[in-house]
Amino acid sequence: MSKIERNNIDASNLLDHIEGIFCRRGAESYLGEQVSMAQHMLQAAQCAEQAGAKNTMIAAALLHDIGHYANEIPETALAEGQDNYHEQAGASFLEPYFDAAVIEPIRQHVATKRYLCAVQPSYLVRLSDASAYTLKLQGGPMSAEEVQSFETNPHLQACIDVRVWDEEAKDPTKEHPEFSYYRPLLEQLMSQHLAH
Ligand SMILES: [Fe+2]
């Protein structure tokens, strides 16, 4: 598969581009965790599927960290996700192609960690060392005011579910499907979105 230029991505080549990222760069390490980036995202999708989640949530789990590949993402999307705000960059990149039910859990997955740490002390204890470390950089647990405002998100439950799978998807010994297994599901969600 030849590499697609990041500023030339459209609906016709988006999934080739994303599959290319998984294949070319999936083995890169995931921020101090025991799993690679591809293992992490594919396991998150697998957790969603095994929980009987909707396709939108499986897609969100699968793509939630795509924004870490900053130099694979169109520069226009990166402008909205400055510095290392990978969740915003990933959401902006995918937003033209998928419904909010897919995009919001991606955009909010760091905020949801901060939310869960505030409302569920048991969640804070479950964080991996790397995730607990980045929590500090991300602003720590939400304040009561932030919690209140976050709870108005109509996709709150999907955000929470994706975040829980995100934490679970760090098992270096677990087998999981490849990206190609999820491609028909992504194709279907994209065509539904683009038909509206
Ligand atoms: Fe993640």
Side-chain angles (χ1 to χ4, degrees), residues 41-51 58 174-177 182:
M41 295 199 284
L42 291 164
Q43 283 184 17
Q46 182 184 41
C47 290
E49 191 177 14
Q50 288 175 346
I58 297 172
K174 195 174 178 199
E175 295 207 6
H176 54 77
Y182 294 106

Side-chain angles (χ1 to χ4, degrees), residues 115-126 160 164:
Y115 170 76
L116 286 174
C117 288
V119 300
Q120 270 182 31
S122 61
Y123 178 82
L124 182 54
V125 179
R126 293 213 313 264
I160 293 170
V164 170

Side-chain angles (χ1 to χ4, degrees), residues 30 40-41 64-65 68 86 109 163 166 170:
Y30 174 54
H40 173 60
M41 295 199 284
H64 76 274
D65 271 335
H68 277 304
H86 72 281
H109 78 269
R163 184 68 225 187
D166 185 355
K170 297 176 177 178

Side-chain angles (χ1 to χ4, degrees), residues 60-133:
L62 177 66
L63 301 175
H64 76 274
D65 271 335
I66 202 76
H68 277 304
Y69 296 101
N71 57 0
E72 304 277 355
I73 285 179
E75 283 157 294
T76 46
L78 284 180
E80 294 172 46
Q82 292 165 7
D83 302 324
N84 189 29
Y85 294 144
H86 72 281
E87 68 280 16
Q88 182 60 43
S92 301
F93 169 42
L94 298 173
E95 200 162 26
Y97 311 106
F98 295 99
D99 288 351
V102 177
I103 301 303
E104 271 302 288
I106 296 174
R107 194 190 316 277
Q108 304 298 345
H109 78 269
V110 171
T112 310
K113 177 165 86 170
R114 296 185 57 231
Y115 170 76
L116 286 174
C117 288
V119 300
Q120 270 182 31
S122 61
Y123 178 82
L124 182 54
V125 179
R126 293 213 313 264
L127 291 181
S128 64
D129 290 347
S131 197
Y133 173 74

Side-chain angles (χ1 to χ4, degrees), residues 135-167:
L135 172 69
K136 284 190 201 145
L137 306 177
Q138 290 156 345
M142 281 185 174
S143 66
E145 225 170 48
E146 287 174 307
V147 163
Q148 214 177 17
S149 135
F150 193 70
E151 286 179 343
T152 63
N153 189 315
H155 300 281
L156 178 65
Q157 191 55 52
C159 292
I160 293 170
D161 290 343
V162 169
R163 184 68 225 187
V164 170
W165 300 321
D166 185 355
E167 283 317 316

